[in-house]
Amino acid sequence: MTARGAIRGQALTGPGAAVVSRFAPSPTGRLHLGHGWSAILAHDLAAAAGGRFLLRIEDIDGARSRAEHVAGIGEDLRWLGLDWEGPVFQSQRLALYDAALGRLRAMGLVYRCFCTRAEIAASLSAPHGPQPAYPGTCRRLSAEEAEARAAAPHCWRLDMAAALARAGGDLIWHDAAAGPVRADPAPQGDIVIARKDAPASYHLAATVDDAEQGVTDVVRGVDLFEATHVHRLLQALLDLPTPRYHHHRLILDATGQRLAKRRGSPSLADLRAAGADGATLAEGLRAGRLPTSFSWPNS
């Protein structure tokens, strides 16, 4: 026991547990060097332990996912010299997310939100002092009001205060660099659990998938460090195991910004077309060497 209560969550990483890592890209564009770096780290972590490296395609956004990008992911990983198990597709796992949402609904921890982005932005610009990302407008609807509007477009949000009260105790997760971390998801407010245009949010789908696939080690960029606070809370609420986390540094472009599909960062396919050798590139990344025009933070 701790001063604040029991530490919740069952670890997947006890003595003798096989290492299972994963790479989970969205097929909404070609992979860039940062994706490749993350895949290499996850692959090598499992390979060094004689474990398993899984490929999961996070294609839950049907409007933006493309079959050609799924094929491109395989091409890029093979070019880097990686092998994997899978893939599995989130679009084929919707019943798992629906069941998880149903459990949260049964506990009274989620509510329908009918607000548009414009309405949320307007409410946050009002002079009422510091506010979370979402001000809880629809949380104040009565059950009867929410049910009467159920046919209108809506997402499902987690009632953060109620969820934390339900979880209780200290929620601890372990990061390879930071060590033990006490989860603190409260500043993120009432996060979206199921979107208007998709049956689950990234938070819910990734948490459910990692548990269902037996992932022991989650390797991802440090930009997702804060998301892990939410995932640890969901693990406690849904009685799911807690993997180890490895949040790695990001690769920056020539302007010092993190790589991103939406900004048109050079893809692995671009590097291949320019004559780069994938195996040589992968070995360079492992040794800390980057192609010209890319950089590590603070280097």
Side-chain angles (χ1 to χ4, degrees), residues 88-99:
V88 300
F89 294 83
Q90 283 190 334
S91 59
Q92 299 174 5
R93 302 162 68 81
L94 303 186
L96 291 172
Y97 315 140
D98 188 61

Side-chain angles (χ1 to χ4, degrees), residues 73-125:
I73 289 167
E75 293 170 4
D76 290 337
L77 295 182
R78 282 189 292 271
W79 179 65
L80 291 171
L82 309 183
D83 51 21
W84 61 89
E85 294 182 27
V88 300
F89 294 83
Q90 283 190 334
S91 59
Q92 299 174 5
R93 302 162 68 81
L94 303 186
L96 291 172
Y97 315 140
D98 188 61
L101 176 61
R103 290 187 62 185
L104 296 173
R105 289 182 63 184
M107 288 185 278
L109 299 180
V110 294
Y111 60 89
R112 291 184 177 93
C113 175
F114 304 92
C115 297
T116 65
R117 290 184 180 181
E119 289 169 339
I120 294 171
S123 66
L124 291 175
S125 66

Side-chain angles (χ1 to χ4, degrees), residues 186 272 275:
R272 183 160 62 249

Side-chain angles (χ1 to χ4, degrees), residues 155-241:
C155 67
W156 288 91
R157 289 185 180 273
L158 184 70
D159 185 331
M160 183 61 72
L164 287 170
R166 175 74 180 232
D170 284 344
L171 303 179
I172 304 297
W173 55 278
H174 293 262
D175 180 76
V181 180
R182 179 175 286 108
D184 182 22
Q188 300 182 49
D190 291 359
I191 53 101
V192 171
I193 288 295
R195 293 162 39 189
K196 292 181 181 180
D197 59 348
S201 68
Y202 165 74
H203 293 304
L204 183 63
T207 301
V208 168
D209 282 339
D210 286 338
E212 196 275 337
Q213 292 189 278
V215 172
T216 64
D217 291 77
V218 173
V219 178
R220 58 191 181 195
V222 71
D223 54 323
L224 289 170
F225 190 96
E226 296 302 318
T228 310
H229 294 299
V230 173
H231 299 180
R232 183 64 187 88
L233 173 59
L234 291 175
Q235 290 157 4
L237 296 173
L238 296 170
D239 297 317
L240 301 177

Side-chain angles (χ1 to χ4, degrees), residues 34 37 220-223 248-252 258-259 295-297:
W37 170 234
R220 58 191 181 195
V222 71
D223 54 323
H248 59 77
R249 58 180 174 171
L250 305 178
I251 295 175
L252 308 180
R258 61 183 289 264
L259 306 182
S295 66
W296 298 114

